[in-house]
Amino acid sequence: QTSVHPAAQASTVGLTERQKEVLAILPKPFACLSFMGSLYIVTHYIRHRCKKRRTRVRKRTYPDLVFGMSCIDMLTSTSYFLSSWPMPRGSDVFQPIGNKQTCQAQAFIQLFGLAAPFYNASISLYYYLVARSKSKQAIKKLRRVKQLMHGISLSAGLVASITGLALDVYGPAESWCWVGTNQQGWHWYGLGMFHIPILCCIVFAIIFTLLLHKTIREHERKMEAYGMGEAERKLSRESAAQGFWYTAAFCYTWIFAAAFRTYQLATESQSTPPYGLSVMFLISLPSQGLLNFLVRSRPRYLAYRRRNPDSRFRHFVHKLTRITFSMSTESEEEEDDEDDVDPTEVLLRSRSILCEREKLQTIEGGVLKVP
């Protein structure tokens, strides 16, 4: 006779069998959509990277960071989709068919997912630094920081996951395997190695998103004073909005997870979190890849709508699907390449034009009053 795993029993006490079934199944559709969204970003990046090698187009930092984040999201989405299946047989959850090794493997991937929040923070920082760059030399130096951003993000995930494996703290928790709630000091490990770094990344991303907004406002006032067109100012504003939407998606993904874990820490996992909070936690956390896909596709969709105002959204989705799985025509790929605008490159062009105007004004000895 199989015994109920104590960690899984503690996390589901007070729940009905129907509620346990819902909590086990709920992450699967969102994880599946998230995986597909991340897959589109990854395949699109690889396809364009191959084109760049043939045409010797220079590399760009922003797509590289989004690519790295999407690879991590594909791993975690797979883990979320498996849900309670890797848990040891006998756990008090819906359909546990795994063992200790499968549970540890799932938990290892979950902890390695810490790299994704660090990528989010890196993207916010990169947006801000691009907006503040004053020369092409400065942006060339900034591209060298890309390797550092990749290294920090991946190292954070590896340190958290390998440390958890070495300390043997992995076990069933809620709807999937994570840091087992039956392990002594589990809450301190989860807090120090996972939640505090994520909280720091969220604060970091919000701060630099606000600084980006402030910097763009200053740029717009200068553009207006220099007589630059509304179209240029609008394009710069829309490009900067991409940074905001990435941060918004990041915060939505983790806000309910933070509330869920805070409740567990406050009660030392002696009582089950509210069912509604558990539902929102299991909807939002597996959705990051889907949200990143929507943000990544936003400029393309806006360009598509300007070109095809009478077309419907499903036509745009069908086009993206054909491009993702290499079923598109040559004209569709050329059109997609035109719409694939790097928002940080747009910010850089606007910033370069503004710097040239400022230099010209200085050479001519004029005084410009910026409102």
Side-chain angles (χ1 to χ4, degrees):
Q1 182 179 3
T2 58
S3 60
V4 176
H5 195 287
Q9 187 178 29
S11 63
T12 58
V13 63
L15 297 178
T16 65
E17 293 300 319
R18 181 66 175 176
Q19 288 176 328
K20 295 175 187 178
E21 182 178 345
V22 170
L23 293 182
I25 296 176
L26 190 59
K28 297 182 185 296
F30 296 97
C32 184
L33 292 173
S34 182
F35 182 89
M36 293 175 63
S38 299
L39 176 64
Y40 165 77
I41 295 176
V42 170
T43 54
H44 188 274
Y45 172 89
I46 294 174
R47 183 169 63 86
H48 278 252
R49 192 65 176 266
C50 292
K51 285 185 177 181
K52 289 176 187 178
R53 286 181 178 177
R54 291 196 298 265
T55 57
R56 295 184 179 181
V57 178
R58 62 185 175 82
K59 300 177 182 179
R60 299 180 295 180
T61 300
Y62 160 77
D64 292 349
L65 295 175
V66 177
F67 168 77
M69 181 172 61
S70 298
C71 290
I72 302 299
D73 287 336
M74 288 179 67
L75 285 175
T76 54
S77 295
T78 303
S79 177
Y80 294 138
F81 178 81
L82 295 176
S83 184
S84 59
W85 289 341
M87 287 188 183
R89 294 178 182 271
S91 298
D92 190 22
V93 292
F94 181 69
Q95 291 185 346
I97 57 176
N99 51 41
K100 181 179 179 181
Q101 287 71 33
T102 58
C103 189
Q104 286 183 329
Q106 185 185 38
F108 185 92
I109 294 175
Q110 296 280 10
L111 269 293
F112 183 64
L114 179 63
F118 276 82
Y119 270 115
N120 275 107
S122 298
I123 290 173
S124 299
L125 174 61
Y126 182 72
Y127 261 100
Y128 173 71
L129 294 178
V130 167
R132 298 292 299 179
S133 299
K134 297 184 178 181
S135 64
K136 293 183 179 180
Q137 290 73 20
I139 200 64
K140 287 181 180 179
K141 293 180 180 179
L142 182 57
R143 289 195 180 97
R144 297 171 188 168
V145 183
K146 175 182 65 176
Q147 286 77 14
L148 180 61
M149 292 178 175
H150 281 299
I152 292 176
S153 301
L154 295 175
S155 297
L158 285 174
V159 168
S161 56
I162 293 176
T163 303
L165 189 63
L167 296 177
D168 193 25
V169 297
Y170 293 152
E174 302 84 43
S175 294
W176 46 63
C177 293
W178 194 65
V179 179
T181 53
N182 66 324
Q183 303 291 338
Q184 184 177 5
W186 72 270
H187 47 287
W188 295 115
Y189 174 82
L191 184 67
M193 295 297 293
F194 198 77
H195 295 300
I196 288 181
I198 289 178
L199 178 61
C200 291
C201 288
I202 291 175
V203 173
F204 188 90
I206 291 175
I207 289 175
F208 279 100
T209 300
L210 294 176
L211 290 175
L212 172 65
H213 178 72
K214 180 176 179 293
T215 302
I216 295 301
R217 291 285 298 272
E218 294 175 354
H219 289 179
E220 286 186 347
R221 288 196 294 268
K222 291 182 179 180
M223 288 179 179
E224 185 178 2
Y226 280 119
M228 297 175 67
E230 173 63 24
E232 293 183 14
R233 299 200 300 272
K234 183 179 179 181
L235 189 59
S236 176
R237 194 183 312 127
E238 289 181 354
S239 300
Q242 281 293 100
F244 165 79
W245 286 114
Y246 272 119
T247 302
F250 175 37
C251 292
Y252 168 78
T253 299
W254 290 100
I255 186 66
F256 294 104
F260 187 92
R261 298 302 181 193
T262 300
Y263 183 93
Q264 284 188 318
L265 291 172
T267 61
E268 294 187 353
S269 200
Q270 295 302 313
S271 62
T272 304
Y275 182 68
L277 178 60
S278 299
V279 169
M280 292 306 302
F281 163 57
L282 296 176
I283 290 177
S284 61
L285 191 57
S287 300
Q288 182 163 11
L290 173 63
L291 296 176
N292 289 336
F293 161 74
L294 294 176
V295 175
R296 182 72 176 87
S297 303
R298 176 178 169 271
R300 283 189 180 83
Y301 179 68
L302 294 177
Y304 180 80
R305 289 291 296 174
R306 285 193 292 266
R307 189 184 302 108
N308 307 282
D310 298 329
S311 182
R312 297 189 177 183
F313 179 73
R314 60 185 176 88
H315 298 149
F316 174 73
V317 174
H318 178 67
K319 173 189 170 184
L320 288 186
T321 303
R322 288 171 57 84
I323 292 174
T324 301
F325 295 101
S326 301
M327 298 183 296
S328 58
T329 63
E330 185 176 349
S331 60
E332 286 178 330
E333 291 189 6
E334 291 178 356
E335 190 178 273
D336 185 67
D337 291 339
E338 293 178 2
D339 297 339
D340 183 30
V341 179
D342 185 344
T344 57
E345 294 292 324
V346 176
L347 286 176
L348 177 60
R349 287 198 298 269
S350 300
R351 183 61 179 158
S352 299
I353 294 173
L354 188 59
C355 289
E356 291 296 329
R357 297 287 181 91
E358 290 176 343
K359 289 180 182 179
L360 182 61
Q361 188 74 19
T362 301
I363 293 174
E364 293 177 352
V367 178
L368 177 69
K369 293 182 180 180
V370 180

